[in-house]
Amino acid sequence: MKEDTIRHLLEKYYSGETDVNEEKILEDYFMHDEVSAEFSVDKEVFCHLAEMKENDEITVPVGMEKRISDNIDMWEKQSKANKLRYYPLYRYVSGIAAAVVILIGISVFMPKNQDDSAVMKDTFDNPQEAYMATENALQLFAEAFNKGDAQIEKARNVTKNVKEKIDNIKNFRK
């Protein structure tokens, strides 16, 4: 069988995209044919899987459950520790940034010369109404900002989880 075909089937196999027939082709190839040095590790994998298929008993190494449980506990602790450390800092920085944006907005729209006839007039006669309108506008801004903040946090968590899984795979291979 062509090595390109085997290479393609192995890629599909390791990414979990093969069907039963393709897996049977790979198994037959590795169990019955001589393979090149490039596929020697894959042959060992398929021989070991075939051996496990014949033996109905699968032995779990001693202490494996405890190691897995300890790793899960460690990952949970790391996840909680990282969340608590970065979240308050991010909250303060975003609050400062919002205040700067508001101050810039105020300075742009404040009249420069009080004697001009084109001075901006108040839109509210009652200061209480102006306060309520400002409070509503700031509340809308905060809600929109928090939605974006939540999305960034989700993306950060997903990225962190993927990085941890890649690091765990690297550590597992060692």
Side-chain angles (χ1 to χ4, degrees):
M1 182 172 285
K2 293 182 181 179
E3 289 185 0
D4 290 336
T5 306
I6 295 299
R7 212 174 278 114
H8 176 69
L9 287 175
L10 281 172
E11 286 177 23
K12 286 178 67 175
Y13 179 78
Y14 287 126
S15 62
E17 298 172 352
T18 54
D19 58 22
V20 176
N21 294 332
E22 291 170 330
E23 290 177 15
K24 182 70 175 151
I25 290 169
L26 285 171
E27 186 178 331
D28 289 342
Y29 176 76
F30 286 117
M31 297 305 292
H32 301 101
D33 295 341
E34 287 295 319
V35 298
S36 66
E38 175 185 0
F39 299 124
S40 62
V41 174
D42 298 310
K43 180 173 177 121
E44 289 179 26
V45 168
F46 277 89
C47 289
H48 186 69
L49 288 174
E51 182 180 310
M52 287 176 61
K53 237 187 241 185
E54 291 173 6
N55 298 339
D56 289 336
E57 292 182 27
I58 297 177
T59 57
V60 177
V62 175
M64 177 64 97
E65 185 176 336
K66 180 171 178 10
R67 288 188 311 198
I68 290 173
S69 177
D70 291 344
N71 281 337
I72 290 172
D73 292 341
M74 179 186 66
W75 294 331
E76 285 178 357
K77 287 178 185 175
Q78 287 175 349
S79 175
K80 288 178 183 177
N82 288 338
K83 257 187 196 175
L84 295 175
R85 185 173 42 190
Y86 294 116
Y87 186 70
L89 176 66
Y90 185 71
R91 187 180 239 177
Y92 293 128
V93 170
S94 61
I96 292 169
V100 168
V101 168
I102 291 171
L103 289 175
I104 290 172
I106 290 172
S107 68
V108 167
F109 293 109
M110 285 295 286
K112 307 274 188 282
N113 190 351
Q114 296 292 337
D115 296 335
D116 285 343
S117 61
V119 173
M120 293 175 52
K121 297 181 181 176
D122 286 340
T123 53
F124 294 97
D125 293 329
N126 184 352
Q128 195 66 17
E129 289 177 21
Y131 175 78
M132 293 302 289
T134 303
E135 191 174 73
N136 287 338
L138 290 175
Q139 183 65 32
L140 288 173
F141 176 77
E143 288 174 7
F145 189 78
N146 286 339
K147 284 181 186 177
D149 188 28
Q151 293 298 325
I152 289 172
E153 189 65 31
K154 285 179 186 176
R156 183 177 288 126
N157 287 339
V158 169
T159 304
K160 182 180 166 205
N161 288 340
V162 168
K163 184 182 180 296
E164 287 176 357
K165 289 178 182 179
I166 290 172
D167 289 343
N168 289 337
I169 290 171
K170 286 179 183 177
N171 291 338
F172 182 73
R173 289 185 179 173
K174 289 179 184 180

